């Protein structure tokens, strides 16, 4: 039973355009959500997070949107750059456990 | 050194070998984690330590044995592994404390393990 799902295994976007990565979750107890980026041969790098008390958080080119009623979050990257090409993981946690549940990842390719 | 480091970066071992993975964090954190990432699968949490105490064992087989001698170091001792244990093993750390609430975890580069 996968509690965090990224249904698109890959996404290809032209440089300068918007990249939208999606994530769905099933556990209504989740109250903190994160996006990580991973390059080959490296560990995941934290990108941006959002608490369930918000519906949007922005950091430079990266914006995360949270729709609690739909149990859906998305990461927008605009404008997309070739260096953004990586695997993007969404993750969620709830309560006081600190336990992160990860999605399967979406591979983003930004073409020059 | 900064952040979270892991050694070795690559490891090949036979099923009868005993080896250890090492993780060190230089962030002043109190919680440390082991994750496993198999091909085409999400990261799976294996163990959690908070102030050197193990707080989570995610039904991990006993052939994986964690050790946390202090808040900065975490080991994963491996013995009699199976080929299906081949994966990327990632260490992470976070602030930790009484309530690990809404914490960001910071990851090391991982150890790529191949069991023959």
């Amino acid at each position: 039973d996968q509690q965090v799902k990224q249904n698109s295994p890959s996404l290809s976007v032209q440089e300068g355009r918007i990249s939208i990565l999606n994530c769905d979750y099933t556990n209504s107890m989740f109250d903190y959500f994160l996006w990580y980026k991973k390059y080959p041969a490296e560990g995941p790098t934290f990108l941006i997070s959002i608490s369930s008390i918000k519906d949007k958080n922005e950091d430079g080119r990266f914006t995360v949107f949270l729709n609690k009623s739909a149990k859906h979050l998305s990461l927008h990257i605009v404008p997309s750059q070739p260096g953004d090409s990586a695997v993007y993981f969404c993750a969620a946690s709830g309560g006081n456990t600190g336990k992160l549940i990860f999605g399967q990842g979406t591979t983003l390719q930004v073409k020059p | 050194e900064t952040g979270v480091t892991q050694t070795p970066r690559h490891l090949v071992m036979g099923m009868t070998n005993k080896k250890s993975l090492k993780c060190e964090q230089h962030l002043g954190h109190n919680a440390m984690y082991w994750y496993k990432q198999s091909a085409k699968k999400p990261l799976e949490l294996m163990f959690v330590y908070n102030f050197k105490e193990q707080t989570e064992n995610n039904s991990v087989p006993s052939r994986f044995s964690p050790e946390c001698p202090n808040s900065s170091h975490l080991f994963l001792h491996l013995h009699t592994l199976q080929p299906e244990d081949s994966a990327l093993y990632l260490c992470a750390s976070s602030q930790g404390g009484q309530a690990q609430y809404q914490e960001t975890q910071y990851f090391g580069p991982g150890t790529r393990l191949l069991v023959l």
Side-chain angles (χ1 to χ4, degrees):
Chain A
D1 176 30
Q2 207 164 336
Q3 298 184 66
V4 178
K5 295 180 183 179
Q6 294 175 257
N7 292 316
S8 298
S10 63
L11 175 67
S12 183
V13 171
Q14 206 66 33
E15 181 179 7
R17 307 294 288 270
I18 185 170
S19 295
I20 300 176
L21 297 111
N22 294 302
C23 180
D24 297 294
Y25 61 96
T26 57
N27 190 337
S28 57
M29 296 299 292
F30 288 148
D31 58 8
Y32 189 56
F33 305 87
L34 308 90
W35 283 95
Y36 284 85
K37 178 169 75 171
K38 185 179 183 301
Y39 293 118
E42 294 183 15
T45 303
F46 169 71
L47 260 182
I48 191 168
S49 63
I50 188 167
S51 165
S52 59
I53 61 173
K54 294 185 173 183
D55 54 18
K56 177 183 173 181
N57 188 25
E58 192 172 350
D59 183 2
R61 296 185 298 114
F62 301 92
T63 303
V64 56
F65 295 92
L66 176 62
N67 182 334
K68 289 185 289 293
S69 60
K71 293 191 179 69
H72 177 84
L73 68 154
S74 60
L75 175 68
H76 293 210
I77 307 173
V78 56
S80 301
Q81 299 173 354
D84 296 329
S85 298
V87 181
Y88 289 79
F89 294 96
C90 69
S93 70
N96 294 336
T97 66
K99 184 175 175 179
L100 281 181
I101 307 297
F102 282 84
Q104 315 94 301
T106 296
T107 300
L108 173 65
Q109 183 183 27
V110 180
K111 297 179 179 178
Chain B
E1 290 280 10
T2 57
V4 182
T5 58
Q6 289 185 245
T7 55
R9 294 294 308 274
H10 301 272
L11 179 62
V12 180
M13 61 187 287
M15 289 190 283
T16 57
N17 291 158
K18 289 184 180 180
K19 297 286 184 183
S20 295
L21 309 185
K22 179 183 175 182
C23 175
E24 185 173 359
Q25 59 92 5
H26 307 268
L27 301 168
H29 288 164
N30 298 298
M32 297 188 77
Y33 310 78
W34 279 118
Y35 285 87
K36 174 184 177 182
Q37 187 180 23
S38 304
K40 309 291 184 187
K41 286 188 176 181
L43 275 75
E44 299 172 61
L45 180 67
M46 299 175 74
F47 301 104
V48 181
Y49 279 83
N50 193 18
F51 282 95
K52 300 189 297 178
E53 297 294 321
Q54 189 180 129
T55 57
E56 182 93 24
N57 177 338
N58 206 24
S59 304
V60 181
S62 59
R63 57 186 184 269
F64 295 91
S65 174
E67 179 191 359
C68 189
N70 55 61
S71 292
S72 298
H73 294 86
L74 185 64
F75 295 90
L76 188 62
H77 304 299
L78 316 171
H79 62 99
T80 59
L81 294 193
Q82 305 297 312
E84 58 264 30
D85 296 321
S86 298
L88 179 68
Y89 288 86
L90 290 158
C91 172
S93 71
S94 69
Q95 190 61 47
Q98 290 296 323
Q100 293 172 259
Y101 182 64
Q102 297 193 350
E103 292 191 346
T104 297
Q105 293 178 21
Y106 296 87
F107 285 81
T111 295
R112 176 72 62 185
L113 173 67
L114 177 62
V115 181
L116 300 176

